[in-house]
Amino acid sequence: MNVEPFDVQEELKKLPGKPGVYIMHDAKDTIIYVGKAVNLKNRVRSYFRESTKKSPKIERMVSFISRFEYIVTDSELEALVLENNLIKEHSPKYNTMLKDDKTYPYIKVTVGEAFPRILFSRQMKKDKSRYYGPYTSAVSVKDTIDLMNKLYCLRTCNRNLPRDIGQGRPCLNFHIKACTAPCVGKETQEEYRLRVNKALEFLNGNYGPVLKELEEKMLAASENLAFEEAAKYRELLFSVRSVAQKQKITNSDGENKDFVGLARNERDVVIQVFFVREGKLIGREHFYMKQAQEEKDAEILQSFLKQFYAGTPFIPKEIYLQETIEEALLIEKWLSQKNDTVVHLRVPMKGQKEKMLDLAIRNAEMILSKDAEKLKREEMRTTGAVKELEQLLRLGNLVRMEAFDISNISGFANVGSMVVFEKGKPKKSDYRKFNIKSVSGPDDYACMKEVLTRRFRHGLAEREETDEAFGSFTRFPDLLLMDGGKGQVNIALSVLDELGIRIPVCGMVKDDNHRTRGLYYNGEEMPIDTHSEGFHLITRIQDEAHRFAIEYHRSLRTKAQVHSVLDEIPGVGPARRKALMKSFASIDELKKATAQEIATSAALPLSVSEGIAAYFSDKSSEDTQKEM
């Protein structure tokens, strides 16, 4: 099928002067940008007009555009919704994007049921239930629900009441006094609803009545010398006070508001959101924005609002921002339609709301500061450590390091491991395992020679086929690390010399306690500061190569042991062997099982199970006779 080449200038002439969404593609037909426009003709043309001033990011994006397409909509509001959906689906490279895609927990009270329950929910649906939240901590939500059920003894079962009343016995919760068992008619709907209403008052922030009631019950139980019961009320009092203290009052109007604060440095952009519900600060959350460094604050806030509130079921009536955004009226209209009530975007200039927004901004700045320190420490462990090794070994541009290790027990199942570190971090996708084929005994040098030969021959062959060096084998290391000293290094150098490859090789020399004491490089042992980041990196690479080899060897030993035994049993083929391996943790456990236990656990015919049990019984007798 022949596809006509895309003529950008010709296609620009065909653009309609209507609202809609435009989609930019690169040469590989990947979507790299999605935008919306009131007038598609004017907006899309502006990208290709030299006189139009563009940001460096947009300039780069335009240079990659191979073709574009567009979707006409009836209004700018429809275009906004479609733009959000397409950005979320395709994650275009040049759109300012939320790094996080979080769902928030809610407390759901099923007030539409005859006997309501309090549940944990990740979605706020338009049903007859009442929702509280969103909260930022799932643990806090679950703790609050547990407290509610303890305080008010509400049911937690899924029975359909009142239809199922009297069908069956009450569950354990009734016997431990955690439920009043409406399922068997122990309580009327009216009596149950009174306790539900008290729970709703609590969730609305009215803690006074329950605190007073619990204190009175605790004192009464104590006076009656019922100290165990008094202790129970004391614990509930503590839990209620703990929940009440977390609900920091921010204002007295009882409204729902979000405060959105932005902070940035030369590397990252963070947005902090404070969630205020019923006049109380119930939580906060921060978000990182991708592809945002070259955007203005107002543009980033605008992108955040569209992406965040597109996926959030609860939208407050007021959202406070630190500056005005260009599409404020359009976004207000969109959010109001989603919320079925008027939503306002506001910029507070003074008073308590301005202080709350300032607090959100300062929290965002603190996150940036903490992350900068964390990033600095991580850089010291990785790229900083690599630079130390570059200076020690006098190497330049040290990016990729490969380390090899051999594992065997008395020559059984010789295996090799290859681990890869790039810029000081493990690149596990490039790790490789080698099942040694040419060496049968415990000869580590011969095993290492086979592993290295296979690794680099494979790489050379792939390079000839692809003329590229991007795969795990086609990319050669900048430094080869051997888990040993002079002997291992000489083996590696001989393999590389034989294949005509020049790569620096460094050995890790160990002391009498098998700990690395220095490096063997260019024919001499070099001391290394054991407290340096470079030394710690070498140790991590060495440990990782050893771990990877040991794990592979262990898996082969386990499979060999199980397969060699089970394969000898008449009537046990691949399917039955798999069933036995799933049902029994070890051969010893299988040996101890009776024929009936084998049949039941592995779902095998009794005749086959009797054959397995008989096989192990005969083996046991043979072993006993040999010992005698």
Side-chain angles (χ1 to χ4, degrees), residues 402-417:
E402 291 181 6
F404 294 81
D405 193 19
I406 302 297
S407 178
N408 66 64
I409 296 179
S410 300
F412 170 78
N414 289 316
V415 299
S417 69

Side-chain angles (χ1 to χ4, degrees), residues 253-408:
D253 58 16
E255 290 291 338
N256 298 321
K257 302 177 176 67
D258 282 355
F259 292 84
V260 182
L262 178 148
R264 66 195 302 170
N265 58 22
E266 64 281 357
R267 185 190 298 268
D268 293 309
V269 176
V270 169
I271 289 182
Q272 176 89 52
V273 183
F274 280 5
F275 303 106
V276 176
R277 301 294 178 262
E278 303 295 337
K280 299 173 182 65
L281 177 63
I282 65 162
R284 62 182 182 175
E285 192 60 81
H286 69 272
F287 305 85
Y288 283 88
M289 302 296 290
K290 294 189 294 185
Q291 292 293 335
Q293 279 304 325
E294 296 173 28
E295 304 282 348
K296 296 177 181 176
D297 288 357
E299 293 171 334
I300 298 169
L301 286 169
Q302 188 164 280
S303 295
F304 172 80
L305 292 177
K306 290 192 284 188
Q307 293 175 56
F308 178 68
Y309 290 106
T312 304
F314 184 87
I315 300 171
K317 288 185 177 180
E318 293 179 320
I319 300 170
Y320 289 90
L321 310 172
Q322 61 205 70
E323 62 179 273
T324 305
I325 60 174
E326 184 181 343
E327 296 180 352
L329 292 176
L330 178 65
I331 292 174
E332 281 182 342
K333 186 177 178 181
W334 167 58
L335 293 177
S336 298
Q337 283 190 8
K338 276 176 66 74
N339 207 33
D340 290 331
T341 186
V342 178
V343 175
H344 294 289
L345 303 181
R346 304 189 188 279
V347 180
M349 305 305 294
K350 60 181 181 179
Q352 194 172 14
K353 296 180 180 66
E354 194 270 338
K355 289 178 182 177
M356 180 61 70
L357 181 60
D358 185 58
L359 186 62
I361 295 169
R362 281 191 279 125
N363 270 264
E365 290 170 348
M366 285 171 60
I367 290 163
L368 280 177
S369 176
K370 286 180 181 177
D371 282 2
E373 291 173 10
K374 182 180 176 183
L375 189 63
K376 189 176 180 181
R377 289 195 300 272
E378 181 64 16
E379 284 180 347
M380 286 296 293
R381 290 180 73 251
T382 54
T383 54
V386 171
K387 285 178 181 175
E388 285 185 17
L389 291 179
E390 283 180 343
Q391 292 172 359
L392 180 66
L393 303 175
R394 297 175 185 173
L395 294 172
N397 196 28
L398 179 54
V399 176
R400 182 184 175 98
M401 291 182 279
E402 291 181 6
F404 294 81
D405 193 19
I406 302 297
S407 178
N408 66 64

Side-chain angles (χ1 to χ4, degrees), residues 23 30-32 34 84-93 97:
I23 305 162
T30 303
I31 294 175
I32 58 173
V34 174
N84 276 338
N85 293 339
L86 290 173
I87 288 174
K88 188 170 184 180
E89 181 180 352
H90 298 289
S91 300
K93 180 178 179 179
M97 294 282 297

Side-chain angles (χ1 to χ4, degrees), residues 10 23 158-159 186 193 238 245 424 453 473 522 564 579 609:
E10 194 61 35
I23 305 162
N158 293 323
R159 293 189 184 184
K186 295 281 186 182
R193 184 64 74 157
F238 177 79
Q245 286 170 2
T453 303
F473 278 138
N522 279 348
S564 63
S609 301

Side-chain angles (χ1 to χ4, degrees), residues 607-627:
S607 59
V608 174
S609 301
E610 287 173 345
I612 295 170
Y615 172 85
F616 285 120
S617 177
D618 293 343
K619 275 282 185 186
S620 178
S621 299
E622 287 176 15
D623 293 340
T624 303
Q625 288 174 4
K626 285 178 183 177
E627 289 173 8

